[in-house]
Amino acid sequence: MNFSFYKTLLTVVSLSLSWMAQAQYKLSDDKATAATVKLYENLAKAQKKGYFIGHQDDLAYGVYWKYQEGRSDVKDIVKDYPAVYGWELGDLELGKPANLDGVPFDKMKQYIREGYERGGIITISWHANNPITGKNAWDASNTSIKNILPGGEHHSVFVGYLDKIAAFLSDLKGNNGEEIPVIWRPFHEHTGGWFWWGAKSASDEEYKELFRFSADYLRIQKGLHNLIMSYNTSTEFSTPEEFLARYPGDQYADMLSFDAYQRGNADQGEKFARQLDVLLTAMNKAADQHSKIPAIGEIGYNQIPDHRWFSHILLPILDKHTFSYVLFWRNAGFKPGNNEVEYYLPFKGHPSEKDFIKFYQNKKTLFEKEASKLKLYK
Ligand code: BMA
């Protein structure tokens, strides 16, 4: 018996299997920077360990504070930062110094660099103003996306918007001058009817064209190669086919995601959990079929009225599935404009504090300390 022959054969087989598992996840941009490629491969791998926890605007403000160096509502409770930092560019395209939620873009750049240098993951969304009416992202009236695509009357306005976005994204640099990789999540919740790029104003084909045109513009015309493209629906689907109805194609998407919020009373929790289960099952099938990485683009239950929500509603479903990350929406706090209070993660002293610590201690929830150990950019 020649054992060494079998040993060599076994090594060759297992090496090629692990190579195939990684090669399966290939970025849609074949000119992507080395760090972007690494991040994407490492995001795919890390799914075996668990899922990263993210928070929108985490470093900029919390429910009771604004712009305090090093502070985070998450860190106040669990002594660790989130692993994923969500940021938002809405109003940048108008040349304003701060975004639609008041976050100054120069500060945002600084926070992005900080999070990245600590080993965290950056994702950026864009509540783009309506280039046709000049009103905001929620103006879904009287819009035809054809007007902003090549040949359309408002095409140049839209291209002007993209120029501003490109300037920002290309100016995100790490300490060594390298471009910071970004999970770019534009034109999100497009299966819903509330945004001008949504299902009410744009046909499936028009949406695909919008997505492709803007991706090509950023990558080819603007030479940006630090983007991981995210295709992000709302909750209007229960099968992989429905989820993919507006999918721009494998050459344009790297991550698949959806946004889902629990609303109403705490007794709606089980119903939300069942819905989340259906959504994750359908999206993950689509992700498998296309060899893309799945994630939850946005989630939350405003003010968390159920003080066991994280451990009893969310965890059992999240733990059942394999996906890359989940991003909780922003801790805006009291909003003087409309007298609303908005936050999706607890702050120190909130009745859900203990429950969130349990969520933190769960093996599969990955925060920044674990992300940093994984060296996602190497
Ligand atoms: C919404 C709310 C708004 C905010 C918008 C964009 O869901 O949080 O207050 O302006 O996201 O960040």
Side-chain angles (χ1 to χ4, degrees), residues 225-285:
H225 299 293
N226 56 334
L227 304 180
I228 294 179
M229 300 287 180
S230 183
Y231 169 80
N232 191 122
T233 71
S234 186
T235 59
E236 300 76 8
F237 68 94
S238 55
T239 65
E241 294 73 31
E242 284 167 356
F243 176 78
L244 292 170
R246 294 156 81 87
Y247 185 59
D250 287 346
Q251 318 88 285
Y252 290 95
D254 304 302
M255 311 276 310
L256 304 185
S257 51
F258 62 78
D259 295 357
Y261 288 87
Q262 181 174 330
R263 299 189 203 277
N265 294 332
D267 62 9
Q268 299 295 300
E270 294 297 335
K271 197 174 150 213
F272 177 70
R274 281 195 300 277
Q275 184 193 23
L276 195 59
D277 197 17
V278 169
L279 298 173
L280 276 163
T281 304
M283 173 176 72
N284 285 3
K285 270 195 196 137

Side-chain angles (χ1 to χ4, degrees), residues 124-143:
I124 301 186
S125 55
W126 183 27
H127 285 72
N129 284 272
N130 185 322
I132 300 169
T133 64
K135 294 185 182 159
N136 69 22
W138 290 266
D139 177 25
S141 69
N142 195 23
T143 306

Side-chain angles (χ1 to χ4, degrees), residues 56-57 61 88 99-101 125 127 138 188-189 261 298 329-330 332 335 338 340 342 344:
Q56 183 73 4
D57 286 350
Y61 54 82
E88 159 63 38
N99 80 356
L100 73 169
D101 301 320
S125 55
H127 285 72
W138 290 266
H188 65 304
E189 299 180 3
Y261 288 87
E298 291 177 27
W329 202 240
R330 63 198 200 101
K335 298 196 284 184
N338 52 15
E340 275 174 16
E342 188 187 12
Y344 300 93

